[in-house]
Amino acid sequence: MDTNLVRQVLGQKVQFIHGDMACVYGALLAGCNFFAGYPITPATEVAEGMSELLPKLGGRYIQMEDEIASMGAIIGASWTGAKAMTSTSGPGFSLMQENIGYAVMSEAPCVIVNVQRSGPSTGQPTLPAQGDMMQARWGTHGDHEIIMLYPYSVQEALEMTITAFNLAEKYRTPVLLFIDAELGHMQEKVVIPEDDEFEVCYRQTVTVSKEEYQAFRPGNNAHPDRLVPEFAPFGSGYRTYVTGLTHNEAGLPRTNSPEIHDRMIRRLCEKILANRADMTFFKESYADDCDIALVAYGITARACEDAVAEARERGIKVGMLRLITIWPFPEDLIQQWARKVRLMVVPEMNLGQMIHPIREAVAGQCRVVPLNKIGGEVHTPGEILEGMVRAIEREREREPAAA
Amino acid sequence: MIKDAETLRNKYLRDAMFPTIFCDGCGIGNVLQYTLWAIDNLGLDMDRTVFVSGIGCSSRLPGYIKADGLHTTHGRALAFATGVKVANPDLTVIVFTGDGDCAGIGGNHFIHAIRRNIDITVIAVNNFTYGMTGGQVAPTTPIGSITTTTPYGSAEPPFDMSEMAKVIGAPYVARWPVTYPYQPIKSIEAGVQKRGFAFVELFAPCPTAYGRRNKLRNIEQAWQWYRDHVILLDDYERIQRFGSAEEKRSLVGKLKIGVFQDVEKRSFTDALEEQIASLRVDKPEPERQAA
Ligand SMILES: Cc1ncc(C[n+]2csc(CCOP(=O)(O)OP(=O)(O)O)c2C)c(N)n1
Ligand code: SF4
């Protein structure tokens, strides 16, 4: 899609829009030309924005009968070569899980936006929560890796949606883009980037002849070491057979061979894990001058920024690590931080989800303290500061002998 | 012009996929053969035809055909097919589905694909059971049948997929047992040519999972069962209107076959493309190219 045309349709370079719309803008700039979805608060505005803007750019929008169908439709579209996206929130995200696994298995690039709301079940439909962090990782059955990005501002939502598409295309895998309900409906300034300010990636198209073509053979003649296969869209004459069954490199079902299954699943995981450097995004502050760390993500990190400023004024040496890439989990980064601080405080809008991989990475090198809040309200900076101070005090009480 | 099985196989099927997973006497093979005949008669460009399916024995069919194929998740073939067709309306999309896949787990997609009138052809293999999982009761199982999950006979009334498709408004609906060799081919041809949703339901025996428990294991018995239990739509209607009381009683438990509907209706894909053409800010591409 011609980005100048996209900019023309989006309008002024600087605008006030909400987080949901920022995902729409990002998707269009990334070349998204297919959207299928189903209405759900607080993600409906993504679908509404797409339904308005996509046709103007020659793209196709369809409202499906449910989220299972939406997920199926974007995979079908992806196999014709489209850059496809859907959006949803908790209940719909649950429904999408089986087909997300199909996208992993069939290596269909696509982007799923989840505007997180409170659950389980219908929960608090309009209110924010961060309860889907583990569902994102393990929601679909079977061994797999997943990429998930979690921007914290409207501008970042726009930029990270572009990145989500790029990663989906490069690694031929579904990419999850999470924002908080709070951000979805929050209006902020965005600056629409110029072409030289962002990259647009496309899946590697087929370079071999039809005779030589093996739909799921990783790499190509020039780059045999690549872990991602080349792509021939439906209708191109390459006649690809795609199945969610374990398949050989030709794409044909081979369900009884332990070796083929093992090799295939390990490759699907490895194509992501071996490229962590390309997909790990984060922001740090006072990283080299702190003995306490706040580790946060999404909207919670905004409250943390204020808490850090206030704490530093009070002489507390706190630094902050904001995770933008949630999965694959940036273990090395957490380990680096664990080596330099004595206390890690992890505020989350759930009863403790990301604290688990954090603790696993920290492996006892420092104390890790959760700061959980549920009920539909974002932590205030005061609550974070207070929680942090309490954790520091408890820490002192625990370690008088060591001091 | 109808070609022999050998010629069709060489022309359309993937060698590496043989032998098939199908049991002896399974009707799915007939469905494949009729489909290939229809395709050959139409001269369909197999580079531009995509076969989509869900999960089940019948949904394995795309794997055998040398064409683009999307073997998806159980019940969701129509959702995936919708994505394929909407994203690239120039492709011909043919869906293979089972009765469980289509009317059970996929029932909602079935209803809505018809309501939209998306331009695809659905070939539904109705074997009255969940074959792949070993013969459980399906939404289409005739009342009283013994299945692994209705060991005392099914008490549920079955679902009539073709009647349903007709009522929701599919522009082309036809149903035949595979024991009729000619009509299924003509109906698949008509379905593929129809601009809009075409539904071709084919009764096909499953001797292994269904037949075995219902005195239809022997293929001769199975074929005879169809002969005894189907009635042409015209005959059915004639008896309904003018038949004697005895003739009317004979209709009980009979399955109607024939062309249920054949009308012209604007397809969703055409409507959507027209709308997009009027809205897009640039000029439409002159001709979409094969990539
Ligand atoms: C979500 C889900 N539920 C259940 C199954 C198990 N399953 C596989 S095939 C099948 C039934 C298939 O029956 P039908 O669609 O009638 O096809 P047939 O095998 O009879 O051709 C079921 C229940 C599955 N694969 N996925
Ligand atoms: S189980 Fe039934 S439907 Fe499946 S291949 Fe065997 S005969 Fe055919």
Side-chain angles (χ1 to χ4, degrees):
Chain A
M1 215 172 263
D2 177 356
T3 41
N4 284 321
L5 219 55
V6 177
R7 266 188 290 270
Q8 183 190 322
V9 165
L10 298 187
Q12 291 182 343
K13 184 170 171 63
V14 181
Q15 304 183 21
F16 266 95
I17 58 171
H18 51 60
D20 280 1
M21 203 59 180
C23 296
V24 173
Y25 282 25
L28 295 175
L29 287 165
C32 175
N33 54 4
F34 185 93
F35 183 96
Y38 190 81
I40 186 167
T41 304
T44 305
E45 289 83 352
V46 181
E48 288 172 346
M50 278 295 187
S51 72
E52 187 193 339
L53 300 179
L54 256 185
K56 296 186 182 177
L57 291 159
R60 294 171 180 91
Y61 169 91
I62 183 169
Q63 181 169 312
M64 296 300 288
E65 49 274 19
D66 58 32
E67 289 85 349
I68 301 174
S70 304
M71 194 58 219
I74 67 167
I75 297 171
S78 179
W79 269 104
T80 71
K83 286 193 174 185
M85 178 165 106
T86 186
S87 65
T88 190
S89 188
F93 190 54
S94 294
L95 285 181
M96 288 178 180
Q97 293 303 332
E98 186 192 8
N99 283 344
I100 291 176
Y102 186 87
V104 169
M105 196 70 160
S106 68
E107 305 185 61
C110 55
V111 174
I112 300 114
V113 174
N114 179 15
V115 188
Q116 272 202 111
R117 75 186 218 188
S118 164
S121 190
T122 316
Q124 298 166 295
T126 58
L127 301 180
Q130 297 171 330
D132 308 348
M133 308 301 290
M134 284 295 162
Q135 191 192 12
R137 176 66 187 89
W138 294 116
T140 198
H141 58 283
D143 291 301
H144 65 285
E145 292 295 329
I146 196 91
I147 302 174
M148 170 175 155
L149 308 175
Y150 207 150
Y152 89 142
S153 68
V154 172
Q155 180 73 37
E156 200 172 77
L158 185 153
E159 289 160 9
M160 279 297 141
T161 307
I162 300 177
T163 306
F165 271 96
N166 287 343
L167 294 175
E169 292 288 316
K170 273 163 94 172
Y171 300 107
R172 278 191 53 186
T173 192
V175 175
L176 311 177
L177 188 284
F178 273 40
I179 60 173
D180 293 286
E182 193 81 1
L183 187 71
H185 288 164
M186 181 194 286
Q187 303 248 355
E188 281 187 310
K189 185 180 111 169
V190 290
V191 182
I192 295 168
E194 297 300 323
D195 278 358
D196 56 3
E197 292 170 310
F198 68 99
E199 188 191 9
V200 175
C201 304
Y202 295 89
R203 59 200 86 164
Q204 171 66 53
T205 52
V206 66
T207 57
V208 296
S209 68
K210 289 176 187 170
E211 290 65 40
E212 221 190 315
Y213 172 66
Q214 298 246 308
F216 295 91
R217 192 189 70 173
N220 58 22
N221 292 341
H223 302 275
D225 52 323
R226 275 197 197 148
L227 292 168
V228 184
E230 299 187 323
F231 183 83
F234 283 175
S236 62
Y238 277 76
R239 303 193 182 186
T240 307
Y241 181 59
V242 183
T243 177
L245 290 168
T246 293
H247 44 269
N248 63 12
E249 292 187 348
L252 306 181
R254 289 292 179 268
T255 52
N256 292 328
S257 160
E259 294 76 26
I260 289 179
H261 184 81
D262 184 277
R263 194 179 339 126
M264 171 183 171
I265 299 301
R266 284 181 197 276
R267 175 178 68 76
L268 292 183
C269 292
E270 208 42 38
K271 74 176 177 181
I272 292 171
L273 294 178
N275 291 292
R276 279 161 177 269
D278 191 36
M279 57 184 78
T280 302
F281 304 96
F282 57 91
K283 283 273 154 49
E284 299 176 313
S285 59
Y286 302 105
D288 300 322
D289 175 33
C290 64
D291 49 19
I292 294 157
L294 266 177
V295 181
Y297 54 86
I299 197 87
T300 319
R302 294 171 72 129
C304 288
E305 284 180 347
D306 291 345
V308 168
E310 175 68 24
R312 303 279 317 184
E313 261 178 40
R314 293 196 199 170
I316 304 171
K317 292 186 81 177
V318 57
M320 180 169 148
L321 170 61
R322 175 164 72 88
L323 303 179
I324 302 173
T325 300
I326 304 295
W327 307 112
F329 188 68
E331 287 145 28
D332 292 354
L333 186 64
I334 297 291
Q335 276 162 20
Q336 284 165 28
W337 275 74
R339 280 194 288 271
K340 64 189 172 199
V341 299
R342 57 191 163 89
L343 177 68
M344 227 177 237
V345 179
V346 184
E348 295 186 84
M349 279 196 281
N350 55 44
L351 292 181
Q353 298 202 7
M354 294 313 291
I355 188 118
H356 298 296
I358 290 175
R359 279 206 171 118
E360 193 179 313
V362 166
Q365 292 191 80
C366 70
R367 261 175 72 69
V368 183
V369 176
L371 202 58
N372 309 117
K373 183 171 181 180
I374 57 171
E377 280 172 8
V378 181
H379 295 72
T380 63
E383 284 168 341
I384 288 171
L385 187 61
E386 209 177 290
M388 192 161 60
V389 169
R390 238 185 301 125
I392 296 168
E393 278 164 7
R394 236 179 294 135
E395 165 91 348
R396 274 204 205 106
E397 286 163 21
R398 281 166 52 94
E399 296 183 0
Chain B
M1 183 186 42
I2 289 176
K3 303 199 171 66
D4 66 286
E6 190 68 26
T7 318
L8 285 176
R9 175 171 160 169
N10 292 338
K11 186 164 173 192
Y12 292 105
L13 301 184
R14 288 181 203 272
D15 259 347
M17 288 292 286
F18 283 83
T20 72
I21 63 153
F22 307 124
C23 311
D24 280 350
C26 176
I28 295 173
N30 303 75
V31 173
L32 178 58
Q33 192 174 17
Y34 299 155
T35 307
L36 296 180
W37 270 334
I39 284 171
D40 204 61
N41 290 346
L42 292 172
L44 265 193
D45 180 356
M46 295 302 269
D47 280 345
R48 305 289 290 161
T49 305
V50 181
F51 294 86
V52 185
S53 66
I55 295 289
C57 297
S58 37
S59 290
R60 287 297 193 96
L61 281 177
Y64 298 99
I65 305 174
K66 258 187 278 179
D68 289 321
L70 195 60
H71 177 225
T72 68
T73 47
H74 190 29
R76 317 301 171 197
L78 288 171
F80 284 77
T82 299
V84 172
K85 185 68 187 181
V86 171
N88 189 348
D90 294 345
L91 299 175
T92 300
V93 178
I94 298 176
V95 171
F96 287 113
T97 182
D99 47 307
D101 201 61
C102 181
I105 190 166
N108 197 33
H109 310 306
F110 181 50
I111 294 170
H112 289 282
I114 297 172
R115 174 183 61 78
R116 281 186 196 103
N117 193 24
I118 181 141
D119 182 16
I120 59 184
T121 303
V122 176
I123 301 171
V125 181
N126 185 354
N127 54 16
F128 305 140
T129 195
Y130 288 143
M132 176 147 272
T133 40
Q136 295 74 34
V137 69
T140 48
T141 306
I143 205 155
S145 297
I146 309 293
T147 72
T148 63
T149 48
T150 54
Y152 313 112
S154 170
E156 295 181 27
F159 197 91
D160 188 321
M161 293 192 285
S162 288
E163 233 21 294
M164 181 83 173
K166 179 184 164 183
V167 168
I168 307 167
Y172 188 83
V173 182
R175 172 159 73 196
W176 305 101
V178 292
T179 49
Y180 283 55
Y182 183 71
Q183 291 83 342
I185 300 171
K186 287 297 138 198
S187 282
I188 294 168
E189 285 175 25
V192 171
Q193 283 174 303
K194 180 67 68 184
R195 250 185 128 77
F197 192 94
F199 187 69
V200 181
E201 177 182 354
L202 298 176
F203 292 140
C206 164
T208 309
Y210 181 79
R212 178 154 57 109
R213 298 184 180 86
N214 294 283
K215 303 200 185 76
L216 299 171
R217 172 156 213 161
N218 177 295
I219 197 64
E220 270 310 313
Q221 287 171 332
W223 283 50
Q224 189 56 47
W225 190 94
Y226 289 128
R227 288 185 202 110
D228 295 343
H229 286 81
V230 297
I231 180 164
L232 284 165
L233 270 170
D234 285 350
D235 292 341
Y236 186 93
E237 271 152 30
R238 181 179 47 76
I239 294 175
Q240 279 279 10
R241 280 211 201 153
F242 313 113
S244 65
E246 196 186 330
E247 275 183 306
K248 281 184 184 159
R249 265 196 306 278
S250 76
L251 295 180
V252 176
K254 286 271 165 71
L255 299 160
K256 287 179 271 182
I257 56 167
V259 177
F260 285 58
Q261 194 143 270
D262 189 357
V263 296
E264 297 307 320
K265 230 174 144 182
R266 201 154 111 100
S267 85
F268 168 70
T269 349
D270 285 341
L272 193 69
E273 287 309 293
E274 213 170 279
Q275 193 179 58
I276 291 170
S278 73
L279 288 168
R280 52 193 301 176
V281 292
D282 62 338
K283 294 211 186 332
E285 303 155 41
E287 188 76 6
R288 214 173 288 102
Q289 296 284 312

